[in-house]
């Protein structure tokens, strides 16, 4: 499976549902980001753009990245309509082959799962190295599958936050795990359905 397949798949996922007029931020981001001073943020797999818009409204300069041109174009239109084009830069990129340049105070990776080849550990390690001292990497993974998820494999196993941290393999002298847990919440799907799901939350801070 190549990049063309991945782009076509994710373009299809977003094109199959209406564009979100007012996408909401992920709950784990609002928990983490509300008390942080604004700086430069990188949103990996920005999707509908709720996280990028929320951060921009708080004063962050946001680089929002997704493999789907449909998602990126929709978010760019939303950014313009909300008057936030001076705070949000949208980028279509395949993290399998490249990583956005620059230094960041916050990198978010929410539900960065795909049925295609992606060395997540390498991507997340690059994200950690892109942090400035004091910056944070927030990784939120699925700990269970919602009924509307594209992945309904019955035998799928979700690595724990500690396992994800071990896979990234960061030097403890430079990066500190500040949070690694599996809270539950009520999620709302694209069609309005709700379900209880588990999140795997990993928060890493660059200390040096």
């Amino acid at each position: 499976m190549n990049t063309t397949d991945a782009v076509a798949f994710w373009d299809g996922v977003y094109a199959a549902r209406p564009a979100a007029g007012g996408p909401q931020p992920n709950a784990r981001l609002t928990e983490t980001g509300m008390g942080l001073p604004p700086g430069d943020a990188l949103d990996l797999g920005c999707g509908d753009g709720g996280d990028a818009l929320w951060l921009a409204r708080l004063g962050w300069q946001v680089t929002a990245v997704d493999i789907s041109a449909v998602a990126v174009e929709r978010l760019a239109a939303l950014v313009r309509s909300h008057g936030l084009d001076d705070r949000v830069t949208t980028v279509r990129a395949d993290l399998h082959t490249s990583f956005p340049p620059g230094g960041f105070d916050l990198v978010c990776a929410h539900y960065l799962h795909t049925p295609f080849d992606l060395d997540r550990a390498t991507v997340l390690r690059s994200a950690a190295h892109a942090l400035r001292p004091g910056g944070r990497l927030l990784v939120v993974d699925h700990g269970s599958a919602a009924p509307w998820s594209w992945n309904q494999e019955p035998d799928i196993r979700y690595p724990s936050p500690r396992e994800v941290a071990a896979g990234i393999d960061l030097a403890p002298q430079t990066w500190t795990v500040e949070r690694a847990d599996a809270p539950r919440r009520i999620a709302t799907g694209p069609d309005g359905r709700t379900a209880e799901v588990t999140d795997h939350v990993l928060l890493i801070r660059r200390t040096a």
Side-chain angles (χ1 to χ4, degrees), residues 9 113-115 142 144-154 156 158:
F9 175 84
H113 306 285
T114 178
H142 293 300
S144 64
W148 53 83
S149 172
W150 56 267
N151 190 349
Q152 295 294 331
E153 290 290 335
I156 188 170
Y158 300 97

Side-chain angles (χ1 to χ4, degrees), residues 2 10 25 59 66 74-75 84 108 116 135-136 140 149 154 200 204:
N2 56 33
W10 287 109
D66 204 282
R74 286 179 173 180
L75 177 54
L84 293 169
C108 305
F116 299 90
R136 288 172 171 83
V140 183
S149 172
H200 284 175
I204 295 173

Side-chain angles (χ1 to χ4, degrees), residues 92-162:
R92 200 213 70 77
D94 180 3
L95 296 174
H96 180 62
T97 58
S98 63
F99 192 87
F104 302 94
D105 304 291
L106 176 65
V107 180
C108 305
H110 280 82
Y111 314 112
L112 195 63
H113 306 285
T114 178
F116 299 90
D117 291 337
L118 179 65
D119 185 347
R120 277 197 1 132
T122 295
V123 171
L124 296 177
R125 192 176 303 114
S126 296
H129 281 274
L131 293 173
R132 297 174 179 137
R136 288 172 171 83
L137 169 62
L138 175 63
V139 182
V140 183
D141 291 336
H142 293 300
S144 64
W148 53 83
S149 172
W150 56 267
N151 190 349
Q152 295 294 331
E153 290 290 335
D155 298 325
I156 188 170
R157 181 181 177 277
Y158 300 97
S160 71
R162 289 289 179 183

Side-chain angles (χ1 to χ4, degrees), residues 186-204:
I186 300 299
T188 302
D191 59 358
R193 284 184 295 167
T194 60
E196 187 178 59
V197 298
T198 299
D199 289 328
H200 284 175
V201 183
L202 175 64
L203 182 64
I204 295 173

